[in-house]
Structures are given as C-alpha cells and as structure tokens.
Amino acid sequence: MNRKLIGVTALLLSIPFYAQADAVSDLEAEYQAQGGTNFNATAGEALWNKEFIDAKKGDKRSCTKCHTADLKKPGKHARTGKAIEPMAPTVNPKRLTEVKQIKKWFVRNCKWTLGRECTAQEKGDFLAYLKNL
Amino acid sequence: MTQRKRKGGVRETKVRVWDIPIRLFHWTLASCFVIAWFTLDNRYLDVHIFAGYLMGGLILFRLLWGFIGGPYARFRDFAFNYSKVQNYLKDVLNKHPPRFLGHNPAGSWAIYLLLGLGLSVVITGLLTFGGEERQGPLAGLLNFPQGRFAHELHEWLSWLMLGVVIIHVMGILVESMLHRENLVVSMLTGFKTSAAGAISTLSHWKIGATMLVAIITAGLFWFQGHLTETPEQLYQPFHGPALPDNSLWREECGACHLAFHPSLLPARSWRAMMQKQASHFGEDLFLEQDAVNKIETFLVENAAEQGLTEAAWKINRSIPQTEILLRITETPYWIKKHQEISDAVWEHPKVNGKIDCAACHIDAAAGTFEDAAMHLPDDVEATATSE
C-alpha cells in the first residue's frame, strides 16, 4: 500500500523530466529519420553563437541576439524588446518540454536568424547543446 | 441691506460680512477652477476629476447656504432685478456707485452666473467622463459620439465661465478702487468697515472646520493610491472595463511582443494580418490553420469597430475606410497622440521603440489605454523635458 503510494508519487514527480526527455528524444529521433547523425553539443554551441548577415537588411543576426550567450540569463527580443525567459532547462524547467513549441520556434527563429529553415542536423545539434545546460 | 453714505464724522466699526464657510467656499472654488484649467492634459485626469467633484460639492453647499447661511450669504440679500443692475452700472460709469456691504447688484449677477455655469461645467464634465472614458457615476450613459458632444459643451461652458471669472475679478478691482477699500482682503479676513449699527454675521467656524475636514479627507481618500505606489506597482487611478480575453491569442500573439488588444485595429486589418501570417513583419509565425482561425475569430469579434474602448472608437474613425493598415502605430489617431514624443524618448533604453506600449501605458496588457494610465518611465521624463 505504502510502497504503491511512494511509487505513484515518484512517478508524478518525475513527469516534468520525462516530458523534457520525451520531447527532446522524440525530436532527435525525428531529425535522425530525416538524415541527421551524431548530434553534437559543441557544433550546436558554435552555431548558436555564429553570426549570419541578413541578405536583405545586411545586419548581423545570431541566436544570442535574443537569447544572449549566457543561457541561464533572461534574454530580450532583438526586435521588440520583450523579455524572454532563460533558455537553460536547469534554470527554466518549462524549456524543451513540448514538441510543437520547439518545432514552431525552430521555424520562426531559424528563418529570421539564418534566413532559411535549419536542417535536421542543425536542429539536432542545437538540442544536444541546449538540453544539457 | 446696509448702505453707507460717505459722510465725515460718522464713527466706523469693523463688521464681519463673510463667514468662514463662505470664504472657504470662495477660495476653494477659485482654486478648483484654476487647478482644473491646468490639468486638462489627460495624464492628470484624476486631479482634474477631483477638482470637478469638489467644485460640484462646493456649489451644492453654496446653494444650500444661500437659504440657511448668515445674512450676507443669503440669496435674498442679493436678489437684484435687472433695472437695479442697470442703475448700479450707470453709477459705476459716473464713478459714484453706492456701496453695499454684501454683494452689489452687478456682482450678484456674476455670482449667479458663476454658480450656474459652474454647475453646468460639472454636469457636462460628468457626462464626458461617463461617455468618453466610461468612468464615474454616469459611466456608459452616453455613447462615444454623445460623450464627445458633451466634451465640446464642457469646453465651451468652461471658456464662458472663464470669461465671467475675468469680469468678476475686474469688477472687484473697479469697486475696490472706487470705494478705496480692499475687497480681496475682505474675502480673506471676512471684515469690512462700516458705520456703526451694521450687523455682523456669525463666523460659523464649526461648519467651516467640518468643510475643511471633509475636503481634506476626500482628497486623501481620492489620492491615496499615489502615496502607496511603488516603482514596480505603479498607481493607476482609473481602471477600464475588463475587455474580452482569449488564452490562445494571449499566448501566441504575446510571445514576441505585447499581445496588442483586438480593439486597437479594425477587423479588415486583422484578417489581412492573419492571412499573411507567414510574413508577419519579416517573421514566419508558422501557426497551424486551426490556431489561425481561432485567433482570427477572436480578433475580428473584438476589433476596433466594436468600440469597446475610447481608443478603439477613436482609432477606427481615424482610418479611411479604404485603407488596410497593419500597424497600430501607423493609424492617424495613434500618430496624432504620439507626435510630440521626441526621438530621444523612443530610443531611450527603457523604451523599446514605438511598439513597446507597456513602457508608457500601465494598462497596455489589459488593452484599455485609459487616459490617466499613461506614465512615462521616470528618467524618460527627464529626457523629454530637457529638450
């Protein structure tokens, strides 16, 4: 009886972690199916900090422009000034918990930053970098 | 009525003509008038409204005091008909007007006019407040166009009242000179000099003290929010009605910037914006069709045409029917309201450009944009005034 209760409680408590692990590993599996391999946190970090020149406006863009380089700190939207909560899942447990959210923001943010959608490899590398912060 | 003939040798005494309630009434009313005049600007609306309420209360008190007050305060002491006024003015032109201890015939007419105009200004003010701002005891009694009409009436009556105030003050100066007495000082001290035998009024200090306590209490009560506000929790004098909300809209449209309330643009703008969601000011919103439909419905149902707020009504009527604007900040009403703001303010670190409504409008997230909820960040104010 008591054991069961502890077991259920432990299960309930672990849901947030499962959710993250779930969302990220689901996506990693998907990106692998699309041709990505050996997702690599170092490559993800490099891409995160890399600057891209916008083809139309000529300004420099990078993921850090909105999320800052220190992912444990809150960011600020480069175009609107709105505050963005920290990216690191250790500081902000809500991060990387929903497949739909992550996909949507990859589309939005890659298009604005890189001027195109990211490849499966790039997205996998980003996740490998972000998930362990 | 006590008239004094200027004959030498008559013993003169001090007579109390104006009791304390009358003097308090007079100077507070005058202050209210001046204060209201200097707080026309929307951002001081709560002060303006307080001055108006106080003015209304004072005038009602004065009407009552005209029947139950001291001898010089009663209306029957200065109920002069037109021919008396005419005769008095003729005497003034001949520089020999008779002297009245209380109000003279011309002065009395100014008093009646001021009381009547004052009351009309207060009533049209309340109608404006209720019609345009949806606030106060008459909230929602008039619609926006009617509220606007009341507003214009309110302004005309105020100008008229200013005219009578000026005539009143000039009359005081002329009479003071002709009779070589200082009527302004009399209204402060309450005393005039007169031949012996003229009656003095009681000071009625208890009633005066009650008035003073009432005014101060009302002021503290009205303005207490200013005393308790903190930089994080700014005081907002008036709260608009709770506007329709939608969690999907707030989440999706509030992710990159303030969730601009649907009432800030017409339906045709929202439809166009949602159709072009893949190129939203250079962003691909990448929303699912289902979400697009739901958000669009919410936006269209509460668009500016619905007139949910004063801003909605004014924004909508400022845009030519043929134009489909995608930016609130490009609507003629918005431009007009913000044209005096300098570039230095827009570029200030605490203001993230024109679309950062919340930097200056405390109620931006609620979407109400109440006039008195406009509050420039403190150091922005310094930049704004130093230019």
Side-chain angles (χ1 to χ4, degrees), chain B residues 38 43 55-56 157 187 225 257 268 274 283 298 310 323:
Chain B
F38 282 102
R43 72 189 76 172
M55 202 156 159
L157 287 166
M187 190 46 91
H257 46 62
R268 58 184 184 282
M274 295 313 285
E283 307 272 337
F298 173 69
E310 183 188 7
E323 267 187 77

Side-chain angles (χ1 to χ4, degrees), chain B residues 102-116:
Chain B
H103 293 300
N104 71 50
S108 76
W109 276 43
I111 309 285
Y112 290 125
L113 266 177
L114 285 174
L115 291 178

